[in-house]
Amino acid sequence: MVRPPCCDKEGVKKGPWTPEEDLVLVSYIQEHGPGNWRAVPTRTGLMRCSKSCRLRWTNYLRPGIKRGNFTDQEEKLIIHLQALLGNRWAAIASYLPERTDNDIKNYWNTHLKRKLQSGGDGAGKPPAQRPPSGRGGCRRTSTWRAARCEALTPLDDCKPQQQDAAAAVDAAGAGAMGGGGGEDSPASSSSGASQCSPSAAAAAGPYVLTTENISRMLDGWAGRKGRGGGTPGTPGGAESASTGSSDASEVSYGGAAVASAAPSGGAGNRPLFEYETKPAVAAQQMPLSAIESWLFDDDSHFHHVQSASLLDATPMDYPE
DNA sequence: AAAGCTAACAACCGCACCCCT
DNA sequence: TAGGGGTGCGGTTGTTAGCTT
């Protein structure tokens, strides 16, 4: 079937977003939450394609995004996961809670691919031999949970992992995610040049309206929502906690958290914006630390995978 | 100081999937 | 069950900052 363009090509603005546009978008999402992107341009008056709005939000404005240098751990994790999963950046990103798929993809294309091609570091194994990420094929992901679950397909079933993982997430969330500056997950163990600190944001982004100002806005929103005092000013930490569902639990990323962590009663304790963050989902079923240790443990797993076509392999020996 | 080159990042495009009717 | 709308994902391109000559 022939589909019409998602937006009217005429009158649709392209190119870099301005601070004003960012502000409008963030304000709108504060009010309505992410989702229904189709309606965003018309409701906000933004002369942007709905996809562009979604992309801007998920890749840049969404709180909890860590910008800046990738740590060694993150790098290795990406390398391994890329070897395991191929170019399924969304699935890979689900293991790096604070990184976007776009970010990881860019990093891969600009750093790691070249690094590996030129011999790379010890962790570098030729990422070849992976089944193409081709559209259709393995891709069934529509949510972070789905992506992550899919990534773990060889495990046969994610469910058994969920409770343990949820507990782990709770623990990690209290420290690493929620408190900011945790060190359990690869992502959160990064250097200080990230984590949405105003200075980092300023360095990373071209706008005055970067994380700092947005975080202020989110702060205000948190106040309006009657909660969220916990981690003011740091979108990176505030929302990525893992407990509970959300006020808009049906929206986007919140599914997994809702399903396993807080069936209903968590309304009073849920972090704001969690429903547009993926960390909870990512770690829900497989603690990052566990994955991390498995990945970094040694190369044996990798070789096993390499030789046995991971995606067809029997359940792997993930750590408990 | 200027020009050229390279790397890094943001954003766009098109396709595929999911969900609803 | 089929069709269509909405959304997510991955590939690719464009822009800009930093570096080298």
Side-chain angles (χ1 to χ4, degrees):
Chain A
M1 50 184 156
V2 177
R3 300 189 52 188
C6 69
C7 322
D8 213 32
K9 292 297 180 185
E10 301 204 0
V12 174
K13 186 180 176 186
K14 294 183 181 179
W17 281 65
T18 65
E20 290 76 19
E21 288 174 315
D22 283 343
L23 185 60
V24 168
L25 182 57
V26 169
S27 298
Y28 175 84
I29 292 174
Q30 283 177 19
E31 281 297 320
H32 302 91
N36 195 13
W37 295 108
R38 188 85 171 184
V40 171
T42 54
R43 291 191 180 186
T44 60
L46 287 171
M47 305 299 284
R48 292 280 182 173
C49 171
S50 59
K51 290 169 68 173
S52 184
C53 293
R54 183 182 64 81
L55 211 59
R56 182 64 180 171
W57 171 254
T58 57
N59 286 336
Y60 200 90
L61 298 175
R62 177 170 61 85
I65 293 176
K66 185 168 107 180
R67 312 197 72 82
N69 296 336
F70 280 70
T71 66
D72 284 346
Q73 279 190 323
E74 287 176 311
E75 188 175 305
K76 288 177 181 176
L77 190 58
I78 292 169
I79 290 170
H80 279 283
L81 288 170
Q82 204 280 341
L84 296 176
L85 304 172
N87 293 354
R88 292 159 63 194
W89 306 116
I92 293 171
S94 68
Y95 288 93
L96 292 157
E98 295 168 328
R99 302 290 188 180
T100 69
D101 54 353
N102 203 42
D103 219 14
I104 293 171
K105 180 173 59 180
N106 282 333
Y107 188 68
W108 173 265
N109 287 331
T110 57
H111 291 83
L112 300 181
K113 196 156 72 173
R114 189 175 305 120
K115 193 171 181 177
L116 293 181
Q117 281 172 351
S118 65
D121 59 21
K125 308 294 191 304
Q129 302 165 344
R130 299 282 10 120
S133 63
R135 303 178 181 286
C138 270
R139 197 163 75 80
R140 298 283 187 276
T141 59
S142 60
T143 65
W144 287 109
R145 181 174 66 157
R148 207 212 64 74
C149 203
E150 182 190 19
L152 295 178
T153 296
L155 291 174
D156 283 336
D157 191 353
C158 298
K159 292 174 187 171
Q161 302 268 356
Q162 287 196 357
Q163 292 185 343
D164 291 342
V169 167
D170 284 342
M177 300 299 197
E183 47 278 325
D184 259 342
S185 76
S188 59
S189 62
S190 68
S191 65
S194 56
Q195 198 56 23
C196 298
S197 72
S199 57
Y207 302 144
V208 175
L209 181 83
T210 50
T211 316
E212 180 182 16
N213 288 347
I214 290 170
S215 67
R216 286 204 197 102
M217 294 189 291
L218 300 182
D219 230 14
W221 190 54
R224 287 205 308 276
K225 290 278 186 173
R227 193 196 136 56
T231 53
T234 53
E239 82 310 328
S240 47
S242 52
T243 57
S245 58
S246 82
D247 291 331
S249 58
E250 77 281 4
V251 180
S252 74
Y253 311 120
V258 172
S260 62
S264 63
N269 283 332
R270 59 184 62 137
L272 297 164
F273 270 113
E274 69 181 358
Y275 53 86
E276 60 268 319
T277 61
K278 50 187 178 175
V281 177
Q284 203 95 45
Q285 293 148 342
M286 172 64 72
L288 277 172
S289 56
I291 297 166
E292 181 184 3
S293 61
W294 171 72
L295 286 171
F296 299 150
D297 185 21
D298 60 56
D299 287 335
S300 62
H301 307 296
F302 186 88
H303 292 314
H304 164 67
V305 165
Q306 285 276 301
S307 60
S309 179
L310 168 72
L311 297 178
D312 297 325
T314 53
M316 291 184 296
D317 45 347
Y318 282 93
E320 288 298 319

